[in-house]
Amino acid sequence: MSCSDSYIDNVQRGGWYNYEAGLPELRLSTTGYYSQVGIPTIEVSGDVVYGGLIYKQNDEGNIQADIAVEITLYDIDTDELIAQRSFSQALIAEDNSVIHSQELFRFNETFEVEPGEYEVVVSVTDESSGKQMVRTNETSIENINDGIVSISEVQIFGKENAVRGANFVPVTTYDVPANLDSLKFMVQINNSTGTPINIRSNLKKFVADTSVAWPMSIQDYPRSSIRFQGIEYDEFEIIQSGSRRINQNGNIFIEYSYGQLELGNYRLEVFIEADNDLKTEGGREFGIKPAFYPAIKTTRQMAEPLAYIMTDKEYEELMSIKNDDSLKVAVDRFWLSNINNSNLAEDVISLYYTRVEEANKQFSNYKEGWKTDLGMVYILFGAPWTVNDVFNSRVILSYTYNLEDPERNFLFRVSDIRGKYFPFDNYILQREIYYYTIEYRQKQRWRTGLILTTDL
């Protein structure tokens, strides 16, 4: 384990989910580079979630969603429209299970441009509902002159080896689900110095909090604890390092490949040196999350979030079960022994894990969204009536229109101001002893099924 200043300037992290209920779900990645024949190119990769769309029955008896995708490029310096491209796509499924699916429709478009800085605007419109999601990224391509060395943005691709014939696909978010168990990173080096260059790389894993959120009514996290800090960029383990010498000039693609990595937060760093001086650097940060993230699919993924409605003893006993079949029996027994009605239990279970998945999409950071303080409150109480953001350092979730009600307004403070080297919105609940009653009552509503008729 190393401990030192680990900040570098040129780091990409992928996007976040930007989930909004009722809107299409669009995830976006953009990269600028020079093609194999030296043409400046911008590559736009997007994912659209099947379950975020509205479906209708088509003439063949299947169900179908229709989307319209539009991609627009602007020159950042001049605001000039550089390119625009649009297409439509019909997404067809055989049954209604698709409305809950986290499977992805992927698209990839390339644009030939001049060197410069660009804003990429992508919109996806659900043609059944007319609702639209718009995402914006910035990307750049450096003008290659004699005597310089430059590095492109680092692209990351993943492949699920358990799927026969699977190919590498672009990873559009910071989060990489663990079922993508082969990772490939691509970076382009542009060398016009006329001299050899040395390329060094490090794959680092950072120390970070992985714990479930504490109850609402106990003491706050100690300020010096990893729970409060979230992620420690100064404490890391070097998983792998390497170096190579490149004697050729021109545009050179470098590939780094890794097998399955443990859950956690990582950075691939690339340093380029010429004449023993650091010329440029780049990197890509990413987080390995549980398989199929942000979806909840495995038995253990269903068991872990029950921390918020179980007693400490119940949860400790549940987590001590190592066999997946036995764990599933225990999870089912918990729900049915409390609700005593299989149909009612099915509806409650569906609601609970829908909120867990939505928490993953809305609050994901260095750990799963459901484990954050915001995720805990969202799972227990649902979407707030109003959200008040105060100077990007405090958020108040209100479950009442009376902002003076101390039991229905929850204050969260950011533990570390978001910035260049700390990109996460790590909001910490200001815990209060008087939350005990409302938290206990809400747990009982979940355990009895009353949550379907009485939510807060």
Side-chain angles (χ1 to χ4, degrees), residues 215-220 406-407 410 429-440:
M216 302 168 61
S217 55
I218 64 175
Q219 72 271 23
D220 289 330
E407 292 189 350
F410 306 126
L429 175 67
Q430 182 173 302
R431 287 166 165 79
E432 304 288 354
I433 189 63
Y434 52 75
Y435 286 154
Y436 176 82
T437 300
I438 193 170
E439 184 179 25
Y440 176 79

Side-chain angles (χ1 to χ4, degrees), residues 93-151:
E94 295 182 354
D95 58 67
N96 289 331
S97 64
V98 71
I99 66 176
H100 301 296
S101 173
Q102 294 299 309
E103 298 299 318
L104 303 173
F105 164 70
R106 292 188 165 95
F107 62 87
N108 190 274
E109 300 286 333
T110 58
F111 297 84
E112 295 182 356
V113 296
E114 296 296 323
E117 296 184 344
Y118 295 91
E119 179 183 65
V120 181
V121 181
V122 180
S123 69
V124 170
T125 303
D126 186 331
E127 297 191 324
S128 294
S129 66
K131 294 184 176 180
Q132 183 181 77
M133 172 61 78
V134 179
R135 300 289 301 273
T136 301
N137 272 3
E138 292 184 1
T139 191
S140 62
I141 305 174
E142 192 162 349
N143 195 353
I144 303 304
N145 299 310
D146 289 342
I148 72 166
V149 178
S150 69
I151 184 170

Side-chain angles (χ1 to χ4, degrees), residues 2-271:
S2 299
C3 181
S4 66
D5 184 358
S6 64
Y7 301 142
I8 65 174
D9 285 328
N10 184 22
V11 175
Q12 297 89 48
R13 298 182 175 92
W16 305 108
Y17 298 103
N18 286 16
Y19 171 82
E20 293 184 46
L23 297 184
E25 294 183 48
L26 169 63
R27 303 164 192 171
L28 178 64
S29 174
T30 56
T31 306
Y33 60 91
Y34 284 84
S35 71
Q36 296 281 11
V37 294
I39 298 174
T41 301
I42 292 177
E43 186 168 332
V44 180
S45 301
D47 296 334
V48 180
V49 181
Y50 277 80
L53 303 170
I54 302 299
Y55 289 82
K56 297 180 179 179
Q57 191 168 36
N58 62 20
D59 294 338
E60 287 74 36
N62 298 316
I63 59 174
Q64 177 175 322
D66 296 287
I67 61 173
V69 179
E70 183 175 85
I71 305 170
T72 310
L73 272 60
Y74 296 94
D75 186 302
I76 290 179
D77 292 332
T78 65
D79 289 330
E80 179 186 357
L81 174 64
I82 300 301
Q84 191 169 43
R85 189 177 300 170
S86 59
F87 63 90
S88 298
Q89 182 72 37
L91 306 180
I92 300 172
E94 295 182 354
D95 58 67
N96 289 331
S97 64
V98 71
I99 66 176
H100 301 296
S101 173
Q102 294 299 309
E103 298 299 318
L104 303 173
F105 164 70
R106 292 188 165 95
F107 62 87
N108 190 274
E109 300 286 333
T110 58
F111 297 84
E112 295 182 356
V113 296
E114 296 296 323
E117 296 184 344
Y118 295 91
E119 179 183 65
V120 181
V121 181
V122 180
S123 69
V124 170
T125 303
D126 186 331
E127 297 191 324
S128 294
S129 66
K131 294 184 176 180
Q132 183 181 77
M133 172 61 78
V134 179
R135 300 289 301 273
T136 301
N137 272 3
E138 292 184 1
T139 191
S140 62
I141 305 174
E142 192 162 349
N143 195 353
I144 303 304
N145 299 310
D146 289 342
I148 72 166
V149 178
S150 69
I151 184 170
S152 72
E153 297 160 311
V154 180
Q155 291 178 283
I156 178 171
F157 302 85
K159 183 174 73 169
E160 188 173 355
N161 288 320
V163 177
R164 187 172 184 179
N167 297 315
F168 281 99
V169 295
V171 175
T172 56
T173 59
Y174 175 87
D175 297 325
V176 181
N179 52 297
L180 295 178
D181 48 3
S182 285
L183 297 181
K184 179 173 68 175
F185 297 80
M186 294 288 294
V187 62
Q188 185 179 62
I189 310 300
N190 306 110
N191 179 24
S192 59
T193 64
T195 60
I197 57 175
N198 297 314
I199 301 174
R200 294 187 294 109
S201 64
N202 293 316
L203 179 64
K204 293 179 176 178
K205 182 182 181 183
F206 297 102
V207 172
D209 176 35
T210 61
S211 61
V212 174
W214 279 2
M216 302 168 61
S217 55
I218 64 175
Q219 72 271 23
D220 289 330
Y221 304 140
R223 293 187 62 85
S224 61
S225 70
I226 189 64
R227 288 178 180 270
F228 187 88
Q229 298 299 328
I231 186 170
E232 292 283 359
Y233 281 111
D234 286 335
E235 296 188 27
F236 55 84
E237 176 186 1
I238 297 180
I239 304 298
Q240 187 172 319
S241 61
S243 62
R244 63 181 75 183
R245 185 173 177 84
I246 302 294
N247 294 311
Q248 68 191 82
N249 269 15
N251 303 317
I252 308 151
F253 282 96
I254 305 293
E255 178 179 313
Y256 300 93
S257 298
Y258 301 97
Q260 189 163 25
L261 298 172
E262 295 179 350
L263 302 186
N265 296 270
Y266 296 83
R267 182 197 295 151
L268 173 66
E269 299 175 341
V270 181
F271 302 93

Side-chain angles (χ1 to χ4, degrees), residues 296 301-310 334-335 345-359 370 375-376 378-380 442-443 446-447 451-452:
I296 302 297
Q301 289 169 0
M302 297 184 71
E304 290 177 337
L306 293 177
Y308 298 140
I309 57 174
M310 279 183 159
F334 166 76
W335 286 110
E346 184 176 348
D347 291 340
V348 173
I349 292 169
S350 176
L351 176 62
Y352 194 79
Y353 292 110
T354 293
R355 288 192 184 175
V356 172
E357 288 190 0
E358 289 176 349
W370 73 263
M376 172 186 64
Y378 184 88
I379 291 167
L380 286 175
Q442 198 71 357
K443 289 180 179 181
W446 278 107
R447 293 170 69 106
I451 193 70
L452 297 180

